[in-house]
Each structure stands twice: as structure tokens, then as C-alpha cells.
Amino acid sequence: MKTLDSIPTSKLERASKLVGTGVKIGGNYLKYYGKSLINQEEAKEQLDQDNATDIYDGLKTLKGSALKVAQMLSMERNILPRAYVERFSLSQFSVPPLSGPLVRKTFKRYIGIDPESLFDSFDFDAINAASIGQVHKAGIGSLELAVKIQYPGVAESISSDLALVKPIALRMFNLSSKESEKYFQEIEEKLKEETDYNHELSMSLMITQKASHIEGVRFPKYYPQWSSERILTMDWMTGEPLGQYTKSDFPLEIGAQLGQALWDFYMFQIHGLKAVHADPHPGNFLVSPENQLIVIDFGCIKEIPDSFYTPYFELADASCLSDSRLFTEKLYELEMLIPSDSDAEISYFTKLFTEMLQLFTAPFNADKFDFADPEFWEGIGKMAEFFSQDQTIRKMNANRGSKHFLYMNRTFFGLYNLLYDLKAKVDTQRYKRYLSN
């Protein structure tokens, strides 16, 4: 794969790259308008493929926040057209890595010496390159290590990247600039945490120590002495990437075993630690030769305040869904209904959230839940289709919901999709055995 000797870091360079991508998209639409006169369905499919390819190719050289957005969108497989999901999924695994000289320069800047001087062995060819950093294999003594190196300029470009992306997001999701500011601030804060490897190190040490007793889950050991704000060193873990594993003809009982471990791990974090690994895409998990789940990235951790946790799970309880007074109270508490709502908006959104929560909270209200159930996913698909076509919601104020929904919803959407891929039927209550330890 071609390597990169530099990454656009200035606001002008990055904006110019996006403008160039926009010109390509404009050309794609001109071709679409001509072809649609002959076969509209085929022309639309080709448009999605061309746009997804051009957007991804533009973002992959920018790396950082811009590419992270693509990675997040690749998890929304029930909302985006398939072409976008397939292309954006490459941001988890297939991104041009930094060249050897740039790797050496970056490592020395943050550790103080060349990698080959610190380690007994160091492979300058990246094993994996994603949105924020890339991973190299190293060795010292008997230890096999994974060394994650952050791309230059990523942390410094977060604010400017989001400023470039914001107008597109406002248009896509029918948001007003002023009232949506809390959501963009939340995204910016989390992205800044993800680029602070000292923060990731502390979160990794905390969660792996406290969750070490969960059956079927393994974690690498982390090495503070070989880490810094832009370098993170941990054990090299042997296993098959989860996304690759779920595409194989795996035994259903192993899928169920892995799915149960995944569910227990997430519920333990949410209910036991009030802090959760909020980036559950396949690139962050491996399946060991012993069929255990290996968690290898703790860059995005969402801490859950009690002021959100309590009403969130009260709202998810079936008894609340059947109590209209309590249900409405929780909607206001979680900012899903807001004081300025008109009677029409209150009626519309109350009905909408009732139907949505009855569907998405179904796993919480059953002792066992089959995440491969086609009716569950058909319901999600129909709801996504409704959102994409409903004209009423476009005329109403869509700025609603606590800022904490952003990463909590991302967590559950990602978790549900992974459990679907594993064809897992899980005991939804088993995690409670780990809370008292």
C-alpha cells in the first residue's frame, strides 16, 4: 500500500482538499442527471458508489477528525446507503500509512529516541492504519508489543475540521446552528480525548483492571514507560479481527459465547463503572485462538453522569413506557421534549419516542434476547426509512435530547450491530453477577 510522507495540517490545506472533493461530487451529480433519464434506480446506485468513493478518498489523506466521522458513519448501516457503509468501513482497516521516515520522526519527537534504539525490534511497516493513528509491531526482550503512533497534526486540527463538517451536518439532520452547539462541543471534547494518549492510557489501565474478572474477555497490558501523549505501547495480542471473523462460517455456539461476553462487558461498564467504551466497531476487537473476545482500544470512553444515567434507564424500563405521566416526565428530564414545544410537537414527538423506545429498549426488558431476530432488525429498518422520508419532522425543531445521547446511542447502535453479526442470543441479566465483585 502507498505510504504518506506528509498529512495536510493547516486549515487552508484541509479546506482545499474538501473543496476538491466537492468538485468531484458535483461532477458525479451531472453524470447522474443524464443517466437517470434512462434508468433512475441504476443511476442512483452508481451515484452513491461514486460519491462514497470520492468522499472516502478525500478524507483518507486528511486522516484525523474528518476520517473519524467516516468511521462513525460506517456503523450506521441501517441509515446510510450500502455503498457509503462499505466504503466508509475501510476507515477501520484500510488507510494509507505513514512512511518510515515520518514514523521515526514522530516517534522520536514524543519519546526522545528512535524506535530502533529503544526496542530490540521495530517494524516500520504499519500493521494497521486507521483514522487517528497507526500500529507497529515491536519487541523488547521476550515481550511482543503493539506501538500506536498518532498522525502528526491530528489533535491540532480537530476544531477546524469540525468547523468544516458542521454546515453539512446541520443540513443533513435539520439542526439550527445555535441550539446544536452543545452536540458539537460534546463531539469536539471526545475527539480531543481520543487524541490524548495519556488519557487513553489512564482509561485503559482503569477499565482493564476493573473488568478483568469478566468471563470470556481479555485485554492487553499497557506500558506507561514507553508511552506519551502521542505514543501508546501495549502487549501485542494474537487474534482474528472481529469483522473478519463474523464474515466466516463460525460455529453458532462460539458466536453466542462471544456475544454474551460482549454484552456482559458493556453492561458492566455502563452499570458498574458509569463509563463505557463508546467506539464498538469491529476494528476494536479480536477473537483469540481460544475463542475469547480481546478488546484492544480504549480511546473513546464516555463517562455517564448520574443526572443522565438515572432517567435514561428509567425511561428504558417497560413500566415507564406504559405510564404516560412518568414517560412524559422523563422525556422532559432528558430534553427529548423541551419547554418551547408546541402542542403539535409534543404530540408528534411523544408518539415518535414511544414507538422508538419500545423497539430499541426491547433487549433491556427481556431475560434473553436474540439479536439475530429478523423482526427486530426489520423494525429498525422501517424506522430508519420513516426518518429519511417523513416531511413532518423536517418542519419541526430537531434540536432535542441531552448531549449525552450522542455517544450512548452510538454505543448501543454499535453493540447491537456486533451482536447481530455474531448471531448472538444473550442472557441480558447475566452481567449482574459481575457488579458485586
Side-chain angles (χ1 to χ4, degrees):
M1 181 184 290
K2 182 181 178 181
T3 61
L4 299 177
D5 294 313
S6 64
I7 296 173
T9 56
S10 75
K11 184 175 181 179
L12 179 60
E13 287 178 304
R14 297 176 77 81
S16 298
K17 189 70 180 179
L18 289 177
V19 168
T21 300
V23 170
K24 290 183 180 179
I25 292 171
N28 294 339
Y29 272 100
L30 289 176
K31 289 188 289 183
Y32 162 71
Y33 294 137
K35 292 180 179 178
S36 64
L37 297 174
I38 302 171
N39 187 323
Q40 187 170 15
E41 184 176 341
E42 184 178 305
K44 182 63 167 66
E45 185 176 335
Q46 186 63 51
L47 174 67
D48 287 341
Q49 290 178 354
D50 291 344
N51 281 350
T53 297
D54 288 336
I55 291 170
Y56 174 72
D57 287 346
L59 294 180
K60 71 183 182 182
T61 56
L62 293 178
K63 298 187 180 291
S65 305
L67 191 56
K68 191 70 178 179
V69 169
Q71 185 188 86
M72 293 168 69
L73 287 173
S74 74
M75 296 164 62
E76 306 299 336
R77 62 180 73 173
N78 294 293
I79 298 175
L80 287 180
R82 180 180 296 275
Y84 287 87
V85 173
E86 291 177 350
R87 180 59 57 175
F88 289 0
S89 292
L90 295 175
S91 64
Q92 300 171 15
F93 309 109
S94 182
V95 179
L98 301 181
S99 65
L102 190 51
V103 168
R104 179 182 285 107
K105 179 180 178 181
T106 303
F107 188 92
K108 187 172 183 178
R109 177 180 177 185
Y110 291 105
I111 297 295
I113 58 175
D114 293 334
E116 63 266 45
S117 300
L118 175 61
F119 302 112
D120 296 335
S121 63
F122 185 87
D123 189 346
F124 278 93
D125 292 326
I127 304 299
N128 186 29
S131 55
I132 290 177
Q134 63 187 47
V135 178
H136 295 260
K137 191 171 185 179
I140 188 166
S142 61
L143 294 175
E144 286 190 313
L145 303 168
V147 182
K148 185 160 69 170
I149 299 177
Q150 188 175 127
Y151 303 130
V154 164
E156 293 76 15
S157 65
I158 289 173
S159 296
S160 58
D161 277 1
L162 287 180
L164 293 170
V165 169
K166 186 175 179 180
I168 301 171
L170 293 175
R171 187 182 182 96
M172 284 179 63
F173 298 107
N174 190 34
L175 303 174
S176 72
S177 179
K178 181 179 179 181
E179 294 173 324
S180 64
E181 191 59 35
K182 63 181 180 182
Y183 305 121
F184 286 99
Q185 286 179 353
E186 174 79 350
I187 293 171
E188 183 169 348
E189 287 171 9
K190 299 313 295 179
L191 287 173
K192 286 180 177 178
E193 287 180 3
E194 285 195 65
T195 58
D196 180 357
Y197 284 179
N198 284 329
H199 181 267
E200 180 175 348
L201 175 64
S202 66
M203 290 292 101
S204 302
L205 292 171
M206 184 273 289
I207 293 179
T208 58
Q209 186 272 321
K210 293 188 175 181
S212 62
H213 61 300
I214 297 177
E215 182 181 341
V217 183
R218 289 177 52 199
F219 311 103
K221 179 181 177 182
Y222 292 83
Y223 297 91
Q225 67 271 35
W226 301 322
S227 301
S228 73
E229 66 268 33
R230 300 290 182 261
I231 309 290
L232 186 63
T233 302
M234 68 197 83
D235 282 336
W236 178 266
M237 305 298 284
T238 300
E240 184 176 5
L242 183 59
Q244 181 177 312
Y245 180 84
T246 56
K247 289 181 175 65
S248 69
D249 188 21
F250 60 89
L252 290 180
E253 63 271 20
I254 300 301
Q257 174 185 312
L258 291 166
Q260 186 67 60
L262 187 66
W263 177 266
D264 290 345
F265 173 56
Y266 269 86
M267 293 306 104
F268 171 79
Q269 293 175 88
I270 290 169
H271 298 291
L273 304 181
K274 304 286 180 64
V276 65
H277 180 285
D279 195 10
H281 70 74
N284 284 336
F285 302 93
L286 303 174
V287 178
S288 77
E290 300 78 27
N291 295 317
Q292 291 184 307
L293 184 74
I294 302 173
V295 190
I296 55 173
D297 191 306
F298 290 94
C300 183
I301 301 298
K302 172 60 184 173
E303 296 183 69
I304 312 167
D306 287 336
S307 60
F308 179 80
Y309 172 89
T310 300
Y312 183 90
F313 285 101
E314 287 176 341
L315 190 63
D317 191 272
S319 62
C320 182
L321 290 170
S322 61
D323 184 332
S324 60
R325 182 197 60 78
L326 181 61
F327 184 73
T328 301
E329 178 184 312
K330 296 305 167 185
L331 290 182
Y332 276 107
E333 199 169 342
L334 290 164
E335 303 170 52
M336 299 166 79
L337 292 178
I338 53 181
S340 60
D341 279 340
S342 65
D343 289 343
E345 285 174 321
I346 291 172
S347 176
Y348 177 85
F349 283 110
T350 299
K351 182 176 182 295
L352 179 67
F353 290 135
T354 299
E355 294 174 355
M356 183 188 300
L357 288 162
Q358 285 173 338
L359 177 63
F360 287 110
T361 64
F364 303 135
N365 292 299
D367 291 333
K368 294 185 183 296
F369 193 82
D370 183 1
F371 282 93
D373 180 1
E375 288 187 18
F376 177 67
W377 291 99
E378 184 180 340
I380 291 179
K382 286 181 177 178
M383 187 159 289
E385 185 178 357
F386 169 80
F387 278 124
S388 67
Q389 297 180 356
D390 181 54
Q391 296 302 311
T392 303
I393 197 170
R394 299 180 187 280
K395 301 173 185 176
M396 295 184 172
N397 180 7
N399 292 280
R400 56 189 64 245
S402 164
K403 67 177 184 179
H404 302 296
F405 273 114
L406 274 176
Y407 282 89
M408 286 297 290
N409 286 350
R410 179 190 182 195
T411 297
F412 279 112
F413 273 120
L415 176 61
Y416 286 7
N417 279 315
L418 292 179
L419 291 168
Y420 169 79
D421 290 341
L422 288 165
K423 302 178 176 64
K425 184 175 183 178
V426 304
D427 178 343
T428 63
Q429 305 303 309
R430 198 184 82 163
Y431 74 92
K432 294 178 181 178
R433 69 172 66 171
Y434 300 113
L435 295 180
S436 58
N437 290 351

